[in-house]
Amino acid sequence: MAAVHKILTDFYEDSFTLLALHSSLEDYAMVYALNLCLKSSFQRTTKDLELFDQVTFPIFEWKDTQNDRFLTLIKNKATKEEGNITGDLFENQPSFSRFQVVPEYKNADYLLKIEHDDCLEENLVKSLMSIPKVVTAYVIEIENIKSRTNLIF
């Protein structure tokens, strides 16, 4: 008989800050704007985050050696085209399903995860708000997120 190992959600310690960004920019344009604003060097990872069956979320990473922190930008929304429904009024039109990395904040377009010891998030939020196409940016309380295991990557 094989042993079963379970990982408790309390085992993972929340040692990061999570920011939500609302913007109509595409992911490549958002990264370009972040690189200009923060004087950073975000680069897309070779593998995307796959949470659901064939639904992927692009990930961009940057190691800030000056402030000793690791930043990850992830698109919070993804759309998957489903098959056509037969016998429906719109049977020639495909249907779409929407997915979020953090469903509790489904209106947030991007998530900025900052792994650090201490962070000056107030200054970072002000810098993010200075990007012309960013509508708003704010800190998300990690304790309130039920789907925080989606942020382990």
Side-chain angles (χ1 to χ4, degrees):
M1 182 146 95
V4 176
H5 299 282
K6 293 184 180 182
I7 298 176
L8 300 174
T9 56
D10 296 338
F11 180 73
Y12 180 70
E13 185 177 320
D14 298 324
S15 61
F16 62 89
T17 301
L18 191 64
L19 301 177
L21 300 170
H22 294 256
S23 175
S24 61
L25 290 173
E26 292 292 329
D27 53 3
Y28 61 88
M30 176 57 81
V31 169
Y32 181 76
L34 283 175
N35 285 341
L36 287 178
C37 176
L38 301 178
K39 296 176 181 41
S40 58
S41 182
F42 280 95
Q43 293 183 352
R44 186 163 181 175
T45 60
T46 55
K47 291 185 115 184
D48 292 341
L49 177 64
E50 186 174 344
L51 291 179
F52 309 101
D53 186 36
Q54 297 180 355
V55 178
T56 59
F57 300 89
I59 300 174
F60 300 87
E61 297 177 334
W62 174 51
K63 172 67 176 156
D64 183 6
T65 54
Q66 184 178 7
N67 296 316
D68 192 33
R69 59 186 177 185
F70 187 74
L71 290 88
T72 306
L73 179 74
I74 185 164
K75 192 168 184 176
N76 190 35
K77 299 177 180 180
T79 305
K80 179 182 176 185
E81 184 176 337
E82 301 289 333
N84 295 342
I85 302 172
T86 58
D88 192 12
L89 180 62
F90 302 104
E91 73 179 64
N92 293 332
Q93 300 296 320
S95 63
F96 295 94
S97 297
R98 296 173 196 233
F99 299 92
Q100 294 87 21
V101 176
V102 180
E104 294 87 355
Y105 290 89
K106 63 183 175 186
N107 292 328
D109 297 305
Y110 296 94
L111 301 171
L112 185 62
K113 179 181 172 184
I114 308 165
E115 298 176 23
H116 56 80
D117 290 333
D118 57 340
C119 179
L120 300 173
E121 54 202 36
E122 185 177 302
N123 293 336
L124 185 59
V125 170
K126 285 181 184 177
S127 297
L128 293 173
M129 291 292 291
S130 70
I131 298 173
K133 293 282 184 169
V134 172
V135 177
T136 188
Y138 52 89
V139 178
I140 294 176
E141 295 296 327
I142 300 169
E143 297 82 29
N144 299 337
I145 300 175
K146 294 179 183 176
S147 59
R148 65 180 160 251
T149 55
N150 292 349
L151 298 169
I152 303 171
F153 46 84

